[in-house]
Amino acid sequence: MRTVLDPSRGRAPRGVALALLLAASGARADWKVEYDSPAPLFLDRSYIFGSPNRIRRQGDPDSPAPLLFETQIAPHLFLPQLHSGHFRSKHGEWFLTALLTPYIRLRMLNTDSSPVIPPSYVPKITLQVAHLRVLPGSRGEEQPMRGLALAANLTVGHYSNGQDGCFFANQEGTDPDCTPAQGELPLNELTGSFSTNFARGELHVRVAFGVDPGLDSAWLVGGGSFLELNTAIGPGGITEEQRRVYGKGNWGVSLLGERVWHQHRFRLEGTVTAPFGETPHRRATVSGEFAALPYWGAGFGVFTRYVYGQDSYNILFLERLSQWQFGLVFEVSPGARLKAEEAPGDSGKRRPPGFL
């Protein structure tokens, strides 16, 4: 099976990613392998949260059911990272990274037996090229600096819920031997099989300003974008029946503002995501999140988020969602912090604020 898209959809992201790769290949030749201090830039976070809003599932007699908790677990398993340069140098600092992420989402409902409904399994492999540098005119040792962080991520992965029930509620049997062969909505949201393979491209940018000489405080603004394509290639690839309803892929954009104050971090982020190529058409999903991560938390903090649009939990993608979330957020400790001791005059200083 093939997914046919308008080539102009991904042309700009591919062009920027290619430009970053070419620039990296032409950077300083002193590439080194980083074994014990990978820079975790622009990666998924882990969350655990509760919500006062209920979860809807077609066919569930308790629906809408109260949520006991939900968790997003995204540990990152880094391969040795290639590194070149220094963020204060003329050509800046470059990272080439490969990592595995066994990403899982779990929901436990607050009903009889407190069931964990079919989880979302999203194992994936990511290749990343990232560039960090001090902007011209701010290289003085005793004045605030301005910095720039750019990254392009290319990810391939698998997304499923581990179920073997038929995709549509009017079908009987087990996947892929379901009758009738041509099912009709609604979906089987209790035991229906959900499975796709995907390729995803991401672009990220952060600008830091007011970075103090001690590398403890800064303001950051930036954003990101992604384009994700579903594919039938490989085991567990998307079926034509699921592609028709779920869509050919997804796109999204985000904006972020962050204050780092004495290495305590306060982040405000907004995101818009939407599918394309689906029938029936689904609306976009909008979310806004505020998080506070204290320095002594070594990567964990508290957050609140509001999500409005479509549910993103595997086969529940046709359910509408209006949900407040409150809980804990975890980032790879100690965060993306560059080595400062390599530059003259940096002896004894800690690493500067991360661009997560």
Side-chain angles (χ1 to χ4, degrees):
M1 301 181 188
R2 293 190 305 166
T3 301
V4 180
L5 299 175
D6 179 354
S8 63
R9 281 185 181 270
R11 186 175 299 158
R14 287 198 301 268
V16 177
L18 180 60
L20 271 175
L21 287 170
L22 291 174
S25 65
R28 295 173 53 183
D30 57 340
W31 288 96
K32 300 178 182 178
V33 179
E34 193 74 65
Y35 294 105
D36 58 356
S37 184
L41 299 164
F42 307 110
L43 300 176
D44 293 305
R45 308 176 187 112
S46 295
Y47 293 91
I48 182 169
F49 60 85
S51 174
N53 305 108
R54 294 175 174 248
I55 301 299
R56 296 182 180 275
R57 291 201 302 164
Q58 186 80 22
D60 183 354
D62 294 321
S63 180
L67 177 68
L68 187 61
F69 76 89
E70 181 170 337
T71 182
Q72 171 177 307
I73 307 168
H76 301 295
L77 310 178
F78 285 85
L79 298 176
Q81 188 177 62
L82 291 177
H83 165 261
S84 175
H86 189 277
F87 75 99
R88 288 184 185 270
S89 68
K90 179 180 178 181
H91 299 288
E93 192 162 7
W94 290 89
F95 297 95
L96 292 177
T97 305
L99 61 134
L100 310 176
T101 305
Y103 179 112
I104 300 173
R105 285 180 64 186
L106 302 171
R107 274 183 184 170
M108 178 175 283
L109 301 183
N110 192 13
T111 59
D112 291 343
S113 180
S114 298
V116 174
I117 63 178
S120 291
Y121 302 102
V122 197
K124 52 189 177 179
I125 302 172
T126 299
L127 300 176
Q128 181 188 82
V129 55
H131 178 56
L132 305 164
R133 67 184 306 157
V134 176
L135 292 175
S138 60
R139 301 182 187 276
E141 292 295 326
E142 302 300 328
Q143 65 181 17
M145 294 185 295
R146 300 186 308 276
L148 175 68
L150 301 171
N153 293 354
L154 176 61
T155 299
V156 292
H158 171 74
Y159 183 13
S160 65
N161 65 352
Q163 301 297 293
D164 64 357
C166 295
F167 188 60
F168 294 100
N170 74 321
Q171 294 176 309
E172 295 181 352
T174 57
D175 182 62
D177 301 315
C178 293
T179 57
Q182 296 298 323
E184 297 180 355
L185 293 175
L187 300 179
N188 174 10
E189 295 183 350
L190 299 184
T191 62
S193 173
F194 176 91
S195 181
T196 182
N197 295 326
F198 64 90
R200 177 182 175 113
E202 300 178 359
L203 297 175
H204 300 274
V205 60
R206 298 283 190 277
V207 177
F209 56 94
V211 183
D212 70 18
L215 307 178
D216 285 332
S217 300
W219 291 90
L220 292 89
V221 294
S225 64
F226 77 86
L227 178 66
E228 183 176 289
L229 304 178
N230 298 312
T231 177
I233 298 173
I238 194 169
T239 64
E240 194 57 41
E241 291 76 17
Q242 183 176 318
R243 189 202 303 276
R244 173 166 52 87
V245 184
Y246 184 60
K248 297 178 179 179
N250 298 272
W251 63 269
V253 295
S254 63
L255 294 175
L256 174 144
E258 184 171 332
R259 172 59 170 162
V260 183
W261 179 71
H262 298 294
Q263 301 211 21
H264 305 294
R265 299 169 52 202
F266 305 91
R267 182 180 62 240
L268 184 63
E269 185 173 18
T271 303
V272 178
T273 63
F276 58 88
E278 79 285 6
T279 302
H281 175 69
R282 305 198 308 276
R283 61 184 176 183
T285 299
V286 180
S287 68
E289 176 183 324
F290 173 76
L293 295 97
Y295 173 73
W296 46 262
F300 100 89
V302 295
F303 85 98
T304 181
R305 180 198 293 143
Y306 178 68
V307 182
Y308 181 80
Q310 302 292 146
D311 202 332
S312 61
Y313 195 85
N314 60 70
I315 204 169
L316 302 186
F317 60 86
L318 290 183
E319 295 292 345
R320 295 193 173 186
L321 192 69
S322 177
Q323 185 183 58
W324 283 99
Q325 303 170 355
F326 305 93
L328 301 178
V329 56
F330 300 83
E331 296 181 349
V332 179
S333 177
R337 305 186 180 202
L338 313 180
K339 291 184 176 178
E341 66 273 16
E342 296 178 2
D346 277 350
S347 178
K349 293 183 180 178
R350 288 173 287 183
R351 298 183 177 189
F355 293 89
L356 290 174

